[in-house]
Amino acid sequence: MSEGLNYKFLVDTFFIALSGVPITLFVTAVALLVALPLGFLLALTRINQIPILNRFSQVYVSFVRGTPIIIQIFIVYASVPLILTAFVEKYNWNIQIYEINPIWYAFIVFSFSTTAILIEVFRSALSTVNKGQLEAAQAVGLTNFQAYRRIVIPQAMVVALPNICTATVNLIKATSLGYAMSLQEITLKAKVAANVGYNYVEAYLDIFLVYIILCSLVEFGFKLYEKRLRKYKYVSA
Amino acid sequence: MLEIKDIHKSFGKNEILKGVDLTIDKGDVVVILGPSGSGKTTLLRCINFLEKADSGKASFGELKVDLHSASKKDIQAIRQKTAFVFQSYNLFNNKTALENVTEGLIIGRKIPKAEANEIGKKALDKVGLSDKYDSYPSQLSGGQQQRVGIARAVALNPDIILFDEPTSALDPELVGEVLTVMKNIANEGTTMLVVTHEMSFAKDVAKRVIFMDGGVVVEEGTPHEIFVSPKEERTKKFLKRVLPEDYTFYI
């Protein structure tokens, strides 16, 4: 038993944890790339009361919001291989199901859950833009698409951005649950390192540090972007 | 130039327009008067397809469309011929005054940016906002915002400008500046269809006044006919309410 913290291990493991950052960011980026457009489109179906899709989004959001991410991970991680097995046997595909990189499961789970969050983020943001903005754009001869792209979305984004930032940071933190499906991200790497000499406190401190640095950087980036977008609200006469 | 035939529109069970006909010639300034809920605004919005009428026909010179089932292309074509000034201004909050005016020119009508800026500046000069090109709507007073709204409409050089109660949302002391601008562009021969509660504007500027109530046109005529010798009982009642007792009308 060592007394106090093992500082050498603390420093070494910090870099091991840091080596998990690319995977964490990769999963985050893919989830956002899927969820941003999908969440936006489904939010539009909610706002414009498109039949069926509107209802679908509503149910989808309550399902995802009403279940812990760890359970979503277990379900996807357990059920997708079963479904795939059925397909593989039926069509004689040449896939080794149990050798699939868990990052694919991570993509699925985190895209699904982030989409649900962003539907609500975009829905509330779009509803803050007065209907008159769209009407005025149509009246000066813009198509619906142009009106959304040039008038409605820029204004909605200003409102949505702080919440997108929160969603992104939550997503980064949630990827730590990826260790449950042996995703090689920050938490798993540090924990594995700790297993050797039971230096869990040091490992957890490292994990803590890496996440707080990562999330602070992301928040800072969002703040800068928000400042630029809000230009029209801040200028004074 | 603009002819509307038998336009109907209901919101749920509430029938707002019960068959309205309307003809406007080039250069006319037509004012629609009437109590709240008489369908004036809805009529205007249906003409520009901001609401979809239940039935009715419109012809714009050569262009004839069904107000209920017009194609996207026809709607776009009509919107290119009209401009709309809103009660609540509806300036694009994320654009400067000049960008508000040029947006429809550059994006909607594909006019090159430099030329659009020229037109936009001229339009803003016309409404007396030469020093506000780069101001955002949040930096402008209500009266200034509505003048930008009018400049935005004028710059499109439309066949007709539709005004939906352009001064109703303004503080009383700001109404004058907007009415002055409207009078100026009316004097330049712009065709205008104006829904308003400003009786003075109707009397001084309108060529024809239409009185609507309960979703139909009750009476129409020159300002003199409507204000001095209205024929219908409903018109008389309405004017009595909105005009001072001892008002005498000179033309």
Side-chain angles (χ1 to χ4, degrees):
Chain A
M1 268 298 181
S2 62
E3 300 197 1
L5 291 175
N6 180 342
Y7 288 105
K8 182 168 184 311
F9 180 82
L10 189 70
V11 174
D12 290 348
T13 312
F14 178 78
F15 288 102
I16 292 175
L18 212 54
S19 73
V21 169
I23 294 289
T24 295
L25 286 183
F26 188 32
V27 171
T28 304
V30 170
L32 282 178
L33 280 178
V34 173
L36 281 170
L38 201 59
F40 182 76
L41 286 178
L42 290 176
L44 282 182
T45 69
R46 297 276 281 123
I47 293 261
N48 295 314
Q49 308 263 317
I50 311 282
I52 305 172
L53 279 175
N54 169 27
R55 193 79 200 139
F56 167 80
S57 317
Q58 209 177 344
V59 172
Y60 174 65
V61 168
S62 13
F63 259 85
V64 173
R65 248 193 335 204
T67 50
I69 293 188
I70 189 79
I71 301 299
Q72 295 166 14
I73 288 174
F74 288 151
I75 288 177
V76 170
Y77 198 45
S79 66
V80 172
L82 287 182
I83 298 167
L84 275 179
T85 311
F87 275 102
V88 165
E89 280 170 7
K90 198 168 176 194
Y91 297 107
N92 282 321
W93 288 346
N94 189 17
I95 305 178
Q96 296 301 313
I97 292 165
Y98 294 96
E99 283 168 22
I100 293 175
N101 189 332
I103 203 166
W104 291 101
Y105 298 113
F107 289 160
I108 296 173
V109 174
F110 293 115
S111 300
F112 264 86
S113 62
T114 310
T115 300
I117 309 284
L118 290 187
I119 289 175
E120 290 300 279
V121 168
F122 284 125
R123 188 170 70 95
S124 61
L126 283 169
S127 64
T128 63
V129 180
N130 191 308
K131 196 163 167 259
Q133 296 286 315
L134 179 62
E135 289 181 351
Q138 291 170 335
V140 297
L142 269 57
T143 62
N144 266 343
F145 179 76
Q146 290 167 334
Y148 264 97
R149 195 170 64 80
R150 301 188 52 89
I151 308 297
V152 177
I153 293 175
Q155 292 180 49
M157 274 307 277
V158 176
V159 182
L161 214 56
N163 292 327
I164 295 177
C165 175
T166 307
T168 306
V169 169
N170 280 340
L171 174 59
I172 290 175
K173 291 185 295 182
T175 57
S176 65
L177 296 170
Y179 82 87
M181 42 186 180
S182 46
L183 179 68
Q184 295 288 320
E185 44 69 61
I186 300 166
T187 311
L188 184 87
K189 287 199 161 185
K191 266 186 76 126
V192 167
N195 284 344
V196 181
Y198 297 104
N199 302 95
Y200 287 112
V201 175
E202 290 87 344
Y204 291 152
L205 275 176
D206 285 328
I207 297 170
F208 184 95
L209 275 176
V210 171
Y211 278 114
I212 206 164
I213 292 169
L214 198 57
C215 292
S216 304
L217 285 176
V218 168
E219 270 179 51
F220 181 71
F222 268 98
K223 282 241 165 67
L224 282 186
Y225 188 47
E226 191 186 334
K227 216 169 172 181
R228 236 185 61 197
L229 280 188
R230 288 184 81 103
K231 197 180 67 180
Y232 70 88
K233 279 196 173 167
Y234 280 142
V235 282
S236 52
Chain B
M1 182 201 73
L2 167 65
E3 209 179 333
I4 304 287
K5 272 250 175 313
D6 200 27
I7 181 168
H8 286 262
K9 170 75 188 172
S10 303
F11 290 106
K13 282 187 182 148
N14 198 358
E15 196 176 12
I16 302 292
L17 295 176
K18 302 172 184 168
V20 175
D21 296 332
L22 184 70
T23 310
I24 298 173
D25 293 323
K26 198 169 162 48
D28 272 5
V29 176
V30 177
V31 168
I32 305 180
L33 300 177
S36 299
S38 57
K40 318 176 294 279
T41 292
T42 307
L43 174 64
L44 229 57
R45 290 171 61 84
C46 285
I47 294 174
N48 209 23
F49 293 96
L50 293 175
E51 302 287 352
K52 195 181 206 181
D54 297 333
S55 66
K57 300 219 176 311
S59 60
F60 258 96
E62 300 293 290
L63 184 65
K64 290 184 180 18
V65 294
D66 187 293
L67 286 169
H68 177 66
S69 57
S71 66
K72 270 199 172 147
K73 207 174 127 231
D74 284 340
I75 293 177
Q76 206 65 14
I78 287 208
R79 284 181 176 155
Q80 302 271 329
K81 287 171 179 286
T82 60
F84 205 99
V85 176
F86 294 86
Q87 179 175 0
S88 46
Y89 335 130
N90 291 351
L91 294 189
F92 308 131
N93 291 323
N94 56 334
K95 306 268 175 198
T96 63
L98 183 59
E99 287 167 349
N100 259 280
V101 178
T102 56
E103 183 73 14
L105 297 169
I106 297 170
I107 307 300
R109 311 215 165 165
K110 311 273 178 274
I111 293 174
K113 196 170 172 199
E115 193 184 329
N117 278 339
E118 279 306 303
I119 301 172
K121 283 177 182 168
K122 239 183 241 164
L124 284 171
D125 295 346
K126 199 182 278 183
V127 299
L129 293 173
S130 316
D131 53 339
K132 300 286 184 193
Y133 294 158
D134 298 322
S135 302
Y136 284 93
S138 59
Q139 301 167 296
L140 298 172
S141 73
Q144 289 169 335
Q145 287 191 53
Q146 191 59 295
R147 277 145 67 196
V148 175
I150 294 172
R152 179 168 71 178
V154 171
L156 295 168
N157 193 23
D159 293 352
I160 182 168
I161 303 180
L162 309 167
F163 290 82
D164 179 20
E165 305 196 27
T167 57
S168 298
L170 292 172
D171 289 342
E173 77 256 37
L174 301 177
V175 169
E177 61 187 76
V178 171
L179 288 181
T180 310
V181 166
M182 286 171 65
K183 273 179 203 169
N184 289 343
I185 61 171
N187 289 337
E188 286 173 14
T190 313
T191 314
M192 293 160 65
L193 179 58
V194 185
V195 169
T196 185
H197 294 291
E198 291 297 325
M199 297 301 146
S200 68
F201 182 82
K203 283 174 210 144
D204 300 344
V205 186
K207 191 173 164 212
R208 264 188 314 134
V209 175
I210 293 173
F211 175 69
M212 275 181 75
D213 191 13
V216 292
V217 172
V218 175
E219 190 169 355
E220 72 173 283
T222 63
H224 187 84
E225 283 164 357
I226 296 289
F227 285 106
V228 178
S229 50
K231 292 187 202 75
E232 300 290 329
E233 204 49 45
R234 270 193 286 178
T235 319
K236 285 179 198 163
K237 252 192 182 159
F238 173 77
L239 290 173
K240 209 169 171 191
R241 261 187 295 136
V242 296
L243 294 176
E245 278 296 320
D246 55 348
Y247 195 89
T248 40
F249 184 73
Y250 303 102
I251 210 158

